[in-house]
Amino acid sequence: MSRGFQALPPAQRQLAASIGSLTRWSRVTSQADRTAALAPARAARQRQWERKADPDGVLAPAELAAAVDRLKKAHYRRMALSSAQTRRRASA
């Protein structure tokens, strides 16, 4: 029998995670501390984009940066399209 956080139904798990997140970030009072706390996550996400853009690691730094930029633009435009489609279906 599963116990603890994983045993909760999804809606309760989301609520518990939200409480934890709000509590954690309530202790971070300066912008510099928030930036520092998120730096490892930002760096990891950047590495993911770079691996996706250049899985073989052969691009020059400038080419890699441009490829990552294009991937990010495509990603956010896909999200915007999906959001617009969802809103259109909801209003119909």
Side-chain angles (χ1 to χ4, degrees), residues 14-55:
Q14 182 179 11
L15 186 57
S18 177
I19 292 167
S21 176
L22 289 168
T23 302
R24 187 260 190 265
W25 288 108
S26 73
R27 297 183 190 115
V28 181
T29 57
S30 75
Q31 182 62 42
D33 288 345
R34 283 191 290 278
T35 299
L38 292 172
R42 283 191 189 99
R45 185 63 173 139
Q46 181 65 23
R47 287 190 301 273
Q48 286 179 331
W49 285 114
E50 289 171 356
R51 280 193 304 272
K52 191 171 183 177
D54 185 20

Side-chain angles (χ1 to χ4, degrees), residues 1-3 11-13 15 22 26-27 32 35-36 43 49 52 54 56-57 61 71 80 83 86-87 91:
M1 180 167 145
S2 181
R3 297 180 60 178
Q12 290 179 4
R13 229 179 8 246
L15 186 57
L22 289 168
S26 73
R27 297 183 190 115
T35 299
W49 285 114
K52 191 171 183 177
D54 185 20
D56 298 325
L71 275 177
S83 176
T86 300
R87 287 191 311 274
S91 68

Side-chain angles (χ1 to χ4, degrees), residues 70-88:
R70 289 188 296 271
L71 275 177
K72 285 180 180 180
K73 285 180 181 179
H75 171 77
Y76 289 114
R77 288 178 185 176
R78 270 193 299 278
M79 287 176 44
L81 176 61
S82 177
S83 176
Q85 291 169 336
T86 300
R87 287 191 311 274
R88 185 175 45 243

